[in-house]
Amino acid sequence: MKIAAIQPSETWQIRHEVMWPDQPFGFVQLAEDDLGLHFGVFIDEKLVSIVSCFITDKELQFRKLATLEKFQGQGIASKLLEYVFDLAKEKGLKKIWCNARTNKKLFYEKFGMHDTNKTFTKAGQEFTIMEISL
Protein backbone atom coordinates (compact mmCIF):
# COMPACT_ATOMS: atom_id res chain seq x y z
CA MET A 1 0.00 0.00 0.00
CA LYS A 2 1.34 3.41 -1.00
CA ILE A 3 -0.16 6.84 -0.28
CA ALA A 4 0.70 9.57 -2.76
CA ALA A 5 -0.41 13.00 -3.93
CA ILE A 6 -2.67 12.79 -6.98
CA GLN A 7 -4.36 15.19 -9.39
CA PRO A 8 -7.96 16.30 -8.74
CA SER A 9 -9.14 14.54 -11.89
CA GLU A 10 -7.78 11.24 -10.54
CA THR A 11 -10.32 11.39 -7.68
CA TRP A 12 -13.42 11.76 -9.82
CA GLN A 13 -13.98 8.16 -10.91
CA ILE A 14 -13.84 6.79 -7.36
CA ARG A 15 -15.96 9.67 -6.02
CA HIS A 16 -18.58 8.89 -8.64
CA GLU A 17 -18.52 5.11 -8.32
CA VAL A 18 -18.52 4.99 -4.51
CA MET A 19 -20.34 8.11 -3.35
CA TRP A 20 -22.70 9.33 -6.05
CA PRO A 21 -23.26 6.60 -8.68
CA ASP A 22 -26.81 7.81 -9.35
CA GLN A 23 -25.70 11.35 -10.15
CA PRO A 24 -24.15 12.67 -13.38
CA PHE A 25 -20.34 12.35 -13.49
CA GLY A 26 -19.95 16.13 -13.24
CA PHE A 27 -21.70 16.08 -9.85
CA VAL A 28 -18.49 14.85 -8.18
CA GLN A 29 -16.26 17.54 -9.66
CA LEU A 30 -15.81 20.41 -7.23
CA ALA A 31 -15.30 23.97 -8.39
CA GLU A 32 -12.54 24.28 -5.80
CA ASP A 33 -10.77 21.01 -6.67
CA ASP A 34 -7.79 22.88 -8.14
CA LEU A 35 -7.29 24.61 -4.77
CA GLY A 36 -7.07 21.38 -2.77
CA LEU A 37 -4.56 18.71 -1.91
CA HIS A 38 -5.58 15.28 -3.14
CA PHE A 39 -4.23 11.94 -1.97
CA GLY A 40 -4.73 8.39 -3.07
CA VAL A 41 -3.95 4.92 -1.83
CA PHE A 42 -2.41 2.60 -4.39
CA ILE A 43 -2.33 -1.16 -4.09
CA ASP A 44 -0.29 -2.89 -6.79
CA GLU A 45 -0.28 0.38 -8.76
CA LYS A 46 -4.12 0.55 -8.69
CA LEU A 47 -5.79 3.62 -7.16
CA VAL A 48 -8.27 2.24 -4.61
CA SER A 49 -9.02 5.06 -2.14
CA ILE A 50 -9.00 8.86 -2.33
CA VAL A 51 -9.46 11.98 -0.23
CA SER A 52 -9.39 15.71 -0.98
CA CYS A 53 -8.18 18.29 1.56
CA PHE A 54 -8.82 22.00 1.65
CA ILE A 55 -6.92 24.29 4.02
CA THR A 56 -8.34 27.64 5.06
CA ASP A 57 -6.66 29.70 7.77
CA LYS A 58 -5.65 27.10 10.39
CA GLU A 59 -8.30 24.51 9.49
CA LEU A 60 -8.27 21.50 7.20
CA GLN A 61 -11.50 20.21 5.73
CA PHE A 62 -11.28 16.78 4.16
CA ARG A 63 -13.87 15.86 1.58
CA LYS A 64 -14.84 12.94 -0.60
CA LEU A 65 -13.06 10.20 1.37
CA ALA A 66 -13.94 7.09 -0.61
CA THR A 67 -12.63 3.56 -1.14
CA LEU A 68 -13.59 1.21 -3.93
CA GLU A 69 -16.11 -1.33 -2.66
CA LYS A 70 -13.83 -4.32 -3.29
CA PHE A 71 -11.23 -2.76 -0.97
CA GLN A 72 -13.53 -1.56 1.84
CA GLY A 73 -13.25 -3.03 5.33
CA GLN A 74 -9.47 -3.47 5.10
CA GLY A 75 -8.43 -0.34 7.01
CA ILE A 76 -7.37 1.53 3.88
CA ALA A 77 -9.49 4.64 4.51
CA SER A 78 -8.27 4.65 8.12
CA LYS A 79 -4.65 4.73 6.94
CA LEU A 80 -5.50 7.54 4.53
CA LEU A 81 -7.22 9.54 7.27
CA GLU A 82 -4.25 9.02 9.60
CA TYR A 83 -2.08 10.44 6.81
CA VAL A 84 -4.34 13.51 6.60
CA PHE A 85 -4.25 13.99 10.38
CA ASP A 86 -0.44 13.79 10.34
CA LEU A 87 -0.32 16.32 7.50
CA ALA A 88 -2.51 18.76 9.45
CA LYS A 89 -0.31 18.42 12.53
CA GLU A 90 2.86 18.95 10.45
CA LYS A 91 1.36 22.14 9.04
CA GLY A 92 0.47 23.39 12.55
CA LEU A 93 -3.25 23.49 11.84
CA LYS A 94 -5.71 23.86 14.71
CA LYS A 95 -8.76 21.94 13.49
CA ILE A 96 -9.82 19.18 11.12
CA TRP A 97 -13.43 18.87 10.03
CA CYS A 98 -15.65 17.17 7.51
CA ASN A 99 -19.21 16.82 6.33
CA ALA A 100 -19.83 13.20 7.29
CA ARG A 101 -22.68 11.06 6.07
CA THR A 102 -24.66 10.45 9.24
CA ASN A 103 -24.43 6.69 8.77
CA LYS A 104 -20.60 6.98 8.90
CA LYS A 105 -20.35 8.94 12.17
CA LEU A 106 -18.92 6.01 14.13
CA PHE A 107 -16.01 5.73 11.70
CA TYR A 108 -14.98 9.34 12.33
CA GLU A 109 -15.52 9.07 16.09
CA LYS A 110 -12.74 6.43 16.13
CA PHE A 111 -10.37 9.27 15.21
CA GLY A 112 -11.56 11.45 18.09
CA MET A 113 -13.85 13.58 15.94
CA HIS A 114 -17.11 14.71 17.50
CA ASP A 115 -20.48 15.54 16.02
CA THR A 116 -21.30 19.25 16.05
CA ASN A 117 -24.99 18.42 15.50
CA LYS A 118 -25.01 20.77 12.51
CA THR A 119 -26.81 18.71 9.89
CA PHE A 120 -27.95 19.12 6.31
CA THR A 121 -29.22 17.09 3.39
CA LYS A 122 -27.65 16.94 -0.09
CA ALA A 123 -29.11 14.92 -2.96
CA GLY A 124 -31.11 12.80 -0.53
CA GLN A 125 -28.15 12.04 1.79
CA GLU A 126 -28.05 13.26 5.38
CA PHE A 127 -24.80 14.80 6.61
CA THR A 128 -23.49 16.10 9.91
CA ILE A 129 -20.43 18.25 10.48
CA MET A 130 -17.77 16.49 12.53
CA GLU A 131 -14.58 18.06 13.84
CA ILE A 132 -11.57 17.69 16.07
CA SER A 133 -9.29 20.32 17.57
CA LEU A 134 -5.58 19.61 17.29
Side-chain angles (χ1 to χ4, degrees):
M1 181 174 85
K2 177 181 137 192
I3 298 175
I6 59 175
Q7 294 299 312
S9 59
E10 293 177 273
T11 67
W12 298 340
Q13 183 60 43
I14 292 177
R15 286 179 186 176
H16 187 255
E17 185 176 328
V18 175
M19 305 181 84
W20 299 105
D22 297 332
Q23 296 292 333
F25 191 77
F27 187 81
V28 301
Q29 299 172 24
L30 305 175
E32 60 272 22
D33 266 340
D34 287 337
L35 303 175
L37 302 171
H38 308 272
F39 301 99
V41 175
F42 293 84
I43 296 179
D44 297 329
E45 306 299 319
K46 178 177 175 58
L47 182 60
V48 301
S49 185
I50 52 94
V51 69
S52 298
C53 302
F54 301 90
I55 298 171
T56 306
D57 300 320
K58 289 289 189 175
E59 298 180 3
L60 181 147
Q61 178 191 20
F62 65 89
R63 299 178 67 181
K64 311 296 185 196
L65 176 64
T67 302
L68 292 173
E69 186 175 357
K70 177 181 173 185
F71 294 89
Q72 291 178 9
Q74 299 176 32
I76 295 169
S78 293
K79 291 287 186 203
L80 190 51
L81 205 51
E82 288 169 9
Y83 184 90
V84 168
F85 274 53
D86 289 345
L87 175 73
K89 290 172 187 169
E90 287 171 15
K91 290 186 174 291
L93 303 180
K94 301 296 182 201
K95 182 167 92 171
I96 298 172
W97 65 282
C98 71
N99 297 327
R101 291 184 186 213
T102 54
N103 64 341
K104 300 292 184 186
K105 279 180 18 175
L106 290 177
F107 174 77
Y108 297 111
E109 287 172 352
K110 291 184 215 175
F111 293 89
M113 298 184 82
H114 69 274
D115 190 348
T116 64
N117 296 313
K118 296 175 187 169
T119 61
F120 64 94
T121 301
K122 176 181 176 183
Q125 288 285 330
E126 289 188 28
F127 291 85
T128 187
I129 297 173
M130 299 196 65
E131 63 182 27
I132 185 171
S133 295
L134 300 176

